[in-house]
Amino acid sequence: MKIPNSFIENSINCADTILKHCIENKIRCRDPPLATSKLLKSFGISEYQERNYWRVAKEISKLGKISIYKYANIEFNLKSELRIEKLYTHDYIPIDYIDCKFLGEKCSVTNKGFAFYVYITGNIESSEIKVNGINLLYLLSMYNTDLAFGLLTSLRNSLYNKNAGMEAFIENLFRILKIPVINLILPKNPQNIKELLKISKILRDSSKGFDIM
């Protein structure tokens, strides 16, 4: 399935907005949805564009796990979930239940609405992990704020600036892979683009046609 650039860009805008909100309001953002209708509408998109976003989100969620790292018996995947559920927001920004309790009366609750989640799942021998994508960005921002936002910016640029954007995105990935705690988790930390593409199918597929080797 080819994911439309408009869907990816709107998702990046959502992630950027939520991450800034987490940092500015000192909330933990352990498990917020990446996108809700209220957040999408705040970008000024039309009703047609919003409906199309949810249509694509539904199709992506049916894909199951998408491999982003595989080496030996360790694998990390990208997984999305589209839900219809109770929503918690603060200034129209989606938050999770725990942060809603922390914010008290500042938190608004909507009985039911679309919520699109993105997770990183991992299988390390007999152990499994599942971490919210926004939460990972927030943890990254605690280590290096510029790197967290730079990753989103380079991902957005890769949609339209082709080689330059993809090169910047991969450069940011390499910087993340050099974080000490990452070295403790991954059995194989790629040292160059060729090694990275070998263990990451999603990057191989995304970089086809780009002169980045």
Side-chain angles (χ1 to χ4, degrees):
M1 174 186 178
K2 181 173 175 55
I3 303 174
N5 284 355
S6 58
F7 178 89
I8 299 174
E9 184 168 21
N10 281 323
S11 296
I12 294 170
N13 289 339
C14 286
D16 187 87
T17 300
I18 297 171
L19 181 58
K20 288 176 181 175
H21 186 259
C22 296
I23 295 171
E24 291 171 0
N25 291 277
K26 296 180 173 60
I27 54 177
R28 187 59 181 76
C29 293
R30 294 171 179 84
D31 192 30
L34 171 66
T36 60
S37 290
K38 186 174 290 188
L39 181 56
L40 290 170
K41 288 175 181 175
S42 73
F43 304 138
I45 68 174
S46 66
E47 289 187 12
Y48 170 79
Q49 291 171 316
E50 183 192 345
R51 287 196 302 270
N52 191 55
Y53 183 93
W54 294 123
R55 179 188 63 78
V56 175
K58 183 178 180 180
E59 292 301 314
I60 292 175
S61 297
K62 292 178 181 178
L63 296 176
K65 296 177 181 179
I66 301 172
S67 179
I68 57 175
Y69 176 100
K70 184 173 178 59
Y71 183 81
N73 59 348
I74 294 184
E75 182 174 3
F76 288 91
N77 301 286
L78 196 64
K79 185 177 185 296
S80 62
E81 299 176 10
L82 178 61
R83 309 176 196 164
I84 298 177
E85 63 182 12
K86 181 181 290 187
L87 301 176
Y88 306 96
T89 59
H90 175 235
D91 292 338
Y92 75 84
I93 310 296
I95 57 177
D96 58 40
Y97 173 79
I98 295 176
D99 285 332
C100 183
K101 287 295 184 183
F102 171 76
L103 291 168
E105 294 181 354
K106 296 179 181 179
C107 174
S108 299
V109 182
T110 303
N111 285 334
K112 188 179 292 186
F114 283 120
F116 182 59
Y117 290 82
V118 174
Y119 294 98
I120 300 295
T121 64
N123 295 287
I124 306 173
E125 295 185 348
S126 60
S127 300
E128 295 184 3
I129 60 172
K130 178 181 177 181
V131 186
N132 183 289
I134 296 295
N135 186 27
L136 282 176
L137 281 173
Y138 183 77
L139 292 173
L140 179 59
S141 74
M142 294 173 67
Y143 175 80
N144 187 321
T145 303
D146 290 339
L147 184 54
F149 286 108
L151 182 68
L152 292 174
T153 298
S154 59
L155 180 57
R156 181 187 291 109
N157 289 342
S158 71
L159 298 176
Y160 305 107
N161 294 338
K162 297 185 177 180
N163 283 8
M166 182 59 70
E167 286 175 1
F169 179 64
I170 289 178
E171 182 179 334
N172 279 319
L173 285 178
F174 273 124
R175 291 175 64 193
I176 292 171
L177 291 172
K178 297 301 180 184
I179 297 174
V181 69
I182 302 296
N183 281 315
L184 296 177
I185 298 172
L186 301 181
K188 174 69 173 177
N189 202 329
Q191 300 302 308
N192 52 54
I193 294 177
K194 185 176 181 179
E195 288 185 3
L196 180 61
L197 297 182
K198 186 175 181 180
I199 63 177
S200 179
K201 182 179 184 302
I202 192 171
L203 281 180
R204 285 200 307 274
D205 293 342
S206 300
S207 60
K208 285 180 180 177
F210 291 172
D211 183 22
I212 60 174
M213 294 298 293

